[in-house]
Amino acid sequence: MATSTSTQPRDTWGSKLGFVMAAAGSAVGLGNIWKFPYTAGESGGGAFVAIYLVFVIFIGFSVMLTEFAIGRKTGLSAVGAFKSTDRRWTFTGVMGVVSGLLIMGFYPVVGGWALAYIFKVGGGLLSAPSAIGDSFGGFISDPIQPIMWMGIYLLMNVVIVMRGVSGGIEKAGKVLMPLLFVILIIVSVKGLSLPGASAGLKFLFTPDFSKVDSSVVLAALGQAFFSLSLGMGCMMTYGSYLKKKENLVQTTGMVTAMDTGVAILAGIAMFPAMFAFGMEPAAGPGLVFVVVPQLFAEMGGAIGILLALLFFIGLTVAALTSSVSLLEVVVSYLIDEKGMKRSTAVLSASAVMSVLCVFASLSLGGIGPTLFGTGAFDIFDLLTDKIFLAVGGMLVCIFAGWRLSKADLEKEITNNGEVPFPLFGLWYNLVKYIIPVAIAIVAIMGIKSGFDSGKGAIMLLGIGIIAIAGLFSKKF
Ligand code: TRP
């Protein structure tokens, strides 16, 4: 039944730890350290964080387990996994590949900023703390510099993914993830030691539900999906490389916990310091690039510079282990379904991504085409984060719940009954009924409120794209 054109035996992960670290490496990235803090800041803090956590536990965990199970069961990447079961579902996989391309249309831009900041810190950025904010604004709106850094960053992705899953991705994840964790703890301790820091903790952890509207709820759902790498077949693709004897439930639990832990830690690293410095929590996408250098400048001396260097190295590496997973989704589609050689697949995918990234980067300086008044960077982010990932996750659940057999899923998740999963019934009902309905409600209300902020047209465009893909699903 499988329509895969590749006949070689599938590469698998070198070790259990290797897989967990690679999947956690995919999950932990700019989503946790760059996106989570500024989205929480813009969305009012505590209530957003609380809703996000509820979504992670009830929706994120279940969807990740579903993606791992489907990926490992079919042994195919996003498109093939659906296609081999039912051709009508192929579009869900194709949507995932499109989401991967679109996320990679802005992710490497921010990855490039992180890379650039290693050199900026080395070049004396911290010596003029009051200029750090303006320097960031000037840098990202420059038409040339950020594009250069993006190019270098994307090239690093190409090199890693060329070498294949168990070579490049796995090693990068294993060595560099723990480093980042340690750095974040140091940053947090420093931030918490500043006078007035406790207001930041209060902002982050005391929910004020009067600030919540449907756009905040949709932002929390989008953040949960984005941060956990869900809703586009990424974890499905990683799962397809997973050995049959590994414990899926445990792996899902570990990856979810690590990802959420890092996001919360990033919040603790940033908000107390911001409040101590008297900065605005709603400072937007520049937050980590402004607050963290200021924090280290405050520390002063060689230690401040050294820690800032380590932080941006860690951030770049975290971003890399995530973006290679996005690139891998597109690449494995081209290999499995289009019969391309890995090197051709990597080069063609990254060529498209680099063009999208140029538009995204230029749009931050106000250059280039806009749609309904929104630039490329924001369009790619809105379409994926607010629409495609959540709808993708919903479709994955509907597919698992209504198209696959319950018995097969139970066999896959319990390794033919070898590892018990007492909550199987709960998981199954969540996936079959509750999650699809919950996502539909959040998405519809979020899109409605998107109209009030002028973003509704783009969201509708996203829905239109999905509908068209669905109509032509047999063509893919
Ligand atoms: N989760 C990653 C981050 O937090 C980004 C990412 C990697 C992603 N793979 C994905 C997001 C798949 C959505 C889908 O930075």
Side-chain angles (χ1 to χ4, degrees):
M1 270 293 277
T3 46
S4 167
T5 47
S6 125
T7 49
Q8 303 132 351
R10 211 161 174 80
D11 198 3
T12 54
W13 301 94
S15 65
K16 178 178 172 79
L17 187 67
F19 178 78
V20 174
M21 290 315 254
S26 162
V28 176
L30 295 170
N32 309 59
I33 297 163
W34 164 71
K35 206 172 179 36
F36 174 76
Y38 89 76
T39 311
E42 284 177 340
S43 309
F48 168 87
V49 175
I51 298 169
Y52 160 78
L53 289 175
V54 169
F55 284 158
V56 165
I57 293 166
F58 289 100
I59 299 184
F61 179 92
S62 307
V63 174
M64 191 183 293
L65 182 56
T66 311
E67 287 205 19
F68 281 155
I70 297 175
R72 190 174 70 171
K73 182 175 179 309
T74 57
L76 293 167
S77 52
V79 175
F82 290 105
K83 201 184 204 174
S84 63
T85 312
D86 183 345
R87 268 197 87 87
R88 285 173 303 173
W89 277 86
T90 312
F91 81 100
T92 310
V94 171
M95 240 180 71
V97 173
V98 172
S99 307
L101 275 173
L102 287 179
I103 296 177
M104 282 302 274
F106 69 91
Y107 205 96
V109 174
V110 184
W113 299 348
L115 187 59
Y117 264 64
I118 301 174
F119 294 87
K120 285 183 184 287
V121 168
L125 177 76
L126 305 191
S127 54
S130 57
I132 289 172
D134 292 341
S135 144
F136 176 77
F139 170 62
I140 65 162
S141 54
D142 186 273
I144 314 258
Q145 271 202 42
I147 292 183
M148 267 173 40
W149 290 107
M150 176 278 288
I152 302 172
Y153 177 86
L154 196 55
L155 200 65
M156 295 163 94
N157 285 270
V158 168
V159 172
I160 297 176
V161 176
M162 280 280 196
R163 295 171 54 192
V165 225
S166 55
I169 301 175
E170 190 174 341
K171 283 199 191 94
K174 231 193 262 182
V175 181
L176 299 160
M177 289 284 301
L179 173 72
L180 176 74
F181 211 83
V182 174
I183 301 167
L184 269 178
I185 292 176
I186 300 174
V187 180
S188 303
V189 170
K190 171 66 193 170
L192 285 170
S193 72
L194 296 172
S198 61
L201 283 186
K202 207 165 154 231
F203 176 80
L204 205 55
F205 295 117
T206 314
D208 172 1
F209 287 101
S210 68
K211 287 186 192 150
V212 172
D213 59 18
S214 41
S215 69
V216 169
V217 181
L218 181 62
L221 184 68
Q223 179 62 34
F225 275 95
F226 189 90
S227 189
L228 292 167
S229 300
L230 298 176
M232 55 152 281
C234 183
M235 289 308 189
M236 219 180 265
T237 304
Y238 269 37
S240 74
Y241 298 109
L242 189 53
K243 291 196 179 101
K244 289 287 180 198
K245 64 177 184 347
E246 307 294 6
N247 183 334
L248 293 184
V249 179
Q250 196 187 55
T251 304
T252 306
M254 283 164 74
V255 175
T256 308
M258 276 194 239
D259 183 72
T260 311
V262 173
I264 298 292
L265 198 56
I268 297 176
M270 258 161 265
F271 284 99
M274 286 178 70
F275 277 79
F277 294 153
M279 289 185 209
E280 263 302 300
L287 202 118
V288 54
F289 294 94
V290 178
V291 174
V292 172
Q294 289 213 6
L295 189 71
F296 289 122
E298 182 87 356
M299 268 183 202
I303 288 284
I305 295 179
L306 179 70
L307 287 175
L309 273 178
L310 285 176
F311 177 83
F312 284 109
I313 293 173
L315 183 62
T316 306
V317 168
L320 268 175
T321 57
S322 298
S323 52
V324 292
S325 76
L326 287 156
L327 179 54
E328 177 68 20
V329 170
V330 183
V331 165
S332 57
Y333 162 69
L334 295 174
I335 297 175
D336 286 356
E337 300 299 319
K338 300 285 168 224
M340 279 189 194
K341 277 201 329 221
R342 179 165 276 270
S343 52
T344 320
V346 173
L347 290 178
S348 23
S350 54
V352 176
M353 291 162 182
S354 63
V355 173
L356 297 179
C357 282
V358 168
F359 281 112
S361 186
L362 288 177
S363 74
L364 297 176
I367 309 169
T370 58
L371 195 64
F372 308 111
T374 309
F377 191 103
D378 293 333
I379 293 176
F380 299 159
D381 175 53
L382 261 172
L383 281 179
T384 50
D385 191 63
K386 299 287 185 310
I387 304 286
F388 286 2
L389 298 182
V391 173
M394 178 173 88
L395 291 172
V396 166
C397 289
I398 297 175
F399 177 75
W402 299 86
R403 193 64 194 77
L404 298 179
S405 96
K406 186 175 178 180
D408 283 352
L409 284 167
E410 183 155 19
K411 269 196 216 146
E412 190 62 45
I413 288 177
T414 60
N415 297 356
N416 282 321
E418 274 168 35
V419 281
F421 179 36
L423 296 179
F424 179 81
L426 174 64
W427 167 81
Y428 187 74
N429 285 310
L430 276 171
V431 165
K432 185 163 185 167
Y433 306 104
I434 302 185
I435 295 176
V437 173
I439 293 180
I441 294 174
V442 173
I444 290 169
M445 293 188 13
I447 289 166
K448 256 173 130 183
S449 84
F451 274 95
D452 304 331
S453 55
K455 304 283 184 232
I458 291 175
M459 292 178 168
L460 271 191
L461 175 76
I463 296 288
I465 294 175
I466 296 170
I468 292 171
L471 281 176
F472 291 99
S473 60
K474 291 213 183 98
K475 298 241 185 299
F476 298 112

